[in-house]
Amino acid sequence: MNGQQWAAAFAALLVAVGAVLFALDRPGDTAPMAVPNVEEVASSGIADSRYDFSRLDGNIAKMVAGPGISGASMLIIKDGSVIFQHDYGDFTKDTVVTIGSASKWPSVLSILMLIDKGKLGIDDKLSQYLPSFDIPDKRDITVRQALSHMSGLPNRNDCMRNYKGTIQDCVEVISQLKLDAEPGTTFQYGSLSIQALGRVAEVVTGKPYREYFRESLVEPLGLKNTHFGRFGKSLNPGLAGNLNTSAADFANFLMIQLNRGDHEGKKYLSYEMVMEMEKGQTGGVPRTAHIPTRHHDTHHDLYGLGVWRDIVDEDGNVLLMSSPGKFGFVPWIDRRHNMVAVLSTEFDFRVADQSKRPEPANVIYLVCDIIDQGTHPPVPRGEPNPRCMKYPKEAKEKLNPNPGE
């Protein structure tokens, strides 16, 4: 797909989503959009005067006005300084929510820290640490494949919800499941391979995973509102989907990665490991199960280690990465603007208006557009901002041996 086709496709996307919450409407050249009173839409906050955050403010306020969502908090840090932080409804930046799949980001970070320390190797086989995996179909699954959803394991199992059991109990169940694909042949986003890595961490550290996670990340970062479900007491914490945290706490994980492994004078991860985390890991293999809506029509290598590679440059280097959660928690890093951002909220799916649930691609694009307008002339109404949407040329042909398919 060439550049003109990308622009046309994205313009069509703008029309399609124009009626939903985070529609990508832009202020025109001659008729400025009315600016809502910030005092009416946000209970507290910080807004850098170089940027016009009125569209973001108004959209989040509309989101929290409906049933099934009591509030939200938005935090944006650029060049090491907070440029936007507003709370809505009964939320603050310290409100604790269940973040769903956003849990994968810090959980994978904790595993990579063990690799950095030489406790295990990224291409080691899980069966070296998990005796129950030393069986014909699972013997060759590697740590890398488990981190990148390439293990062939199913994406979920009820053992993840056995909070009275242990990670080891769950891994014993996982080891007996039939593979959905040969290891390394298919990308299938899920939870079980990440959970198995939690048990690997227990084996190499000699500690329950929740204790290792607390000692390696929570305490050094000074986090006050971060723990796995069941008040952090379960011996079977859900590494891939059951972390509870706040916008302010989670931003620390993002800053580690933005700064290539460093944060506030402490080294958490080597530069090389950060680069490995951001590198495409799946190639052109078939994609099954969950693929985010924002990536249904994209063809570059979508996944690294624990993160979605949303936008990459022409050489395949990641420019924007994210790991949104089911309940509305949306964290991302935008290297184009040296920025991290977290939208924290929690939908009650029993009563929430799903049309108001934030689509990650829309809110990420909107924030990029706002920041971009602080230093560039506005793009005409109805046209996508090319500086906020870029994929490598001929990416499909590079990854797919049969580009006509």
Side-chain angles (χ1 to χ4, degrees):
M1 184 177 286
N2 60 34
Q4 290 181 336
Q5 289 173 314
W6 274 120
F10 192 67
L13 173 64
L14 301 190
V15 174
V17 302
V20 302
L21 170 63
F22 281 101
L24 308 182
D25 288 337
R26 307 180 46 80
D29 294 335
T30 58
M33 178 181 288
V35 178
N37 185 334
V38 172
E39 295 298 327
E40 295 177 357
V41 299
S43 60
S44 63
I46 299 168
D48 191 314
S49 61
R50 293 175 296 173
Y51 311 103
D52 179 5
F53 287 106
S54 59
R55 287 181 290 159
L56 181 64
D57 240 340
N59 280 322
I60 298 177
K62 291 177 185 177
M63 180 181 71
V64 303
I69 177 170
S70 63
S73 183
M74 183 79 217
L75 174 63
I76 305 174
I77 302 172
K78 175 175 166 54
D79 300 326
S81 298
V82 176
I83 62 168
F84 185 82
Q85 194 282 305
H86 277 184
D87 304 320
Y88 306 82
D90 63 4
F91 267 50
T92 74
K93 67 183 185 301
D94 298 314
T95 298
V96 178
V97 297
T98 301
I99 65 172
S101 286
S103 306
K104 294 178 177 67
W105 205 328
S107 293
V108 167
L109 174 62
S110 75
I111 301 299
L112 296 180
M113 291 171 69
L114 291 174
I115 297 173
D116 251 350
K117 294 176 181 177
K119 297 287 186 179
L120 67 155
I122 194 167
D123 292 310
D124 284 355
K125 297 175 182 178
L126 299 191
S127 57
Q128 294 176 230
Y129 308 96
L130 307 177
S132 61
F133 270 60
D134 192 15
I135 53 179
D137 64 333
K138 299 179 182 68
R139 183 171 294 131
D140 294 329
I141 296 173
T142 67
V143 171
R144 184 190 300 275
Q145 290 167 347
L147 289 167
S148 58
H149 306 287
M150 297 275 286
S151 68
L153 287 166
N155 59 0
R156 65 187 67 182
N157 184 271
D158 286 344
C159 76
M160 298 284 292
R161 299 184 180 184
N162 178 15
Y163 300 115
K164 294 183 179 180
T166 65
I167 290 184
Q168 182 175 3
D169 294 335
C170 187
V171 168
E172 294 297 320
V173 173
I174 294 170
S175 71
Q176 299 306 309
L177 299 175
K178 181 180 178 181
L179 293 181
D180 287 344
E182 289 292 319
T185 65
T186 301
F187 173 78
Q188 179 165 287
Y189 188 75
S191 301
L192 300 191
S193 65
I194 306 295
Q195 194 72 358
L197 289 170
R199 177 56 187 162
V200 172
E202 292 185 336
V203 171
V204 300
T205 64
K207 301 175 181 179
Y209 177 78
R210 65 181 188 186
E211 184 178 329
Y212 162 66
F213 184 82
R214 185 181 69 250
E215 293 178 357
S216 61
L217 284 169
V218 174
E219 292 176 354
L221 289 168
L223 308 184
K224 304 299 183 184
N225 300 301
T226 299
H227 56 78
F228 283 94
R230 304 292 168 170
F231 307 101
K233 296 180 179 179
S234 174
L235 289 173
N236 186 29
L239 276 73
N242 201 26
L243 188 67
N244 294 348
T245 189
S246 66
D249 273 13
F250 199 94
N252 287 274
F253 300 127
L254 302 181
M255 290 301 294
I256 290 173
Q257 187 147 355
L258 179 67
N259 295 331
R260 303 292 205 274
D262 298 324
H263 185 46
E264 296 183 341
K266 181 176 175 59
K267 190 73 169 178
Y268 290 88
L269 208 60
S270 69
Y271 173 88
E272 293 75 17
M273 193 58 66
V274 172
M275 293 299 95
E276 192 67 39
M277 190 174 184
E278 297 181 8
K279 185 173 72 176
Q281 301 287 335
T282 68
V285 302
R287 304 165 181 173
T288 62
H290 170 74
I291 298 296
T293 302
R294 65 190 183 278
H295 286 311
H296 282 180
D297 296 317
T298 60
H299 302 280
H300 65 275
D301 196 333
L302 290 180
Y303 208 79
L305 301 177
V307 294
W308 292 101
R309 305 171 73 247
D310 294 298
I311 299 178
V312 300
D313 66 18
E314 293 185 1
D315 295 320
N317 300 308
V318 70
L319 300 176
L320 188 144
M321 67 203 91
S322 68
S323 186
K326 176 181 178 180
F327 306 109
F329 193 91
V330 184
W332 74 95
I333 294 175
D334 189 339
R335 290 204 178 279
R336 300 164 299 183
H337 296 112
N338 196 37
M339 182 188 84
V340 306
V342 183
L343 171 60
S344 176
T345 189
E346 190 168 28
F347 269 65
D348 183 341
F349 284 88
R350 296 169 298 179
V351 295
D353 181 352
Q354 294 304 301
S355 69
K356 293 187 175 182
R357 184 183 178 192
E359 165 56 44
N362 293 351
V363 66
I364 290 170
Y365 177 93
L366 177 57
V367 170
C368 174
D369 191 44
I370 290 168
I371 301 303
D372 183 75
Q373 288 192 40
T375 54
H376 295 85
V379 176
R381 178 188 289 274
E383 294 184 14
N385 187 333
R387 293 178 295 274
C388 292
M389 183 73 175
K390 187 176 182 182
Y391 293 94
K393 293 179 180 179
E394 300 178 346
K396 183 175 182 179
E397 286 74 12
K398 289 180 181 179
L399 294 178
N400 189 344
N402 301 299
E405 292 183 354

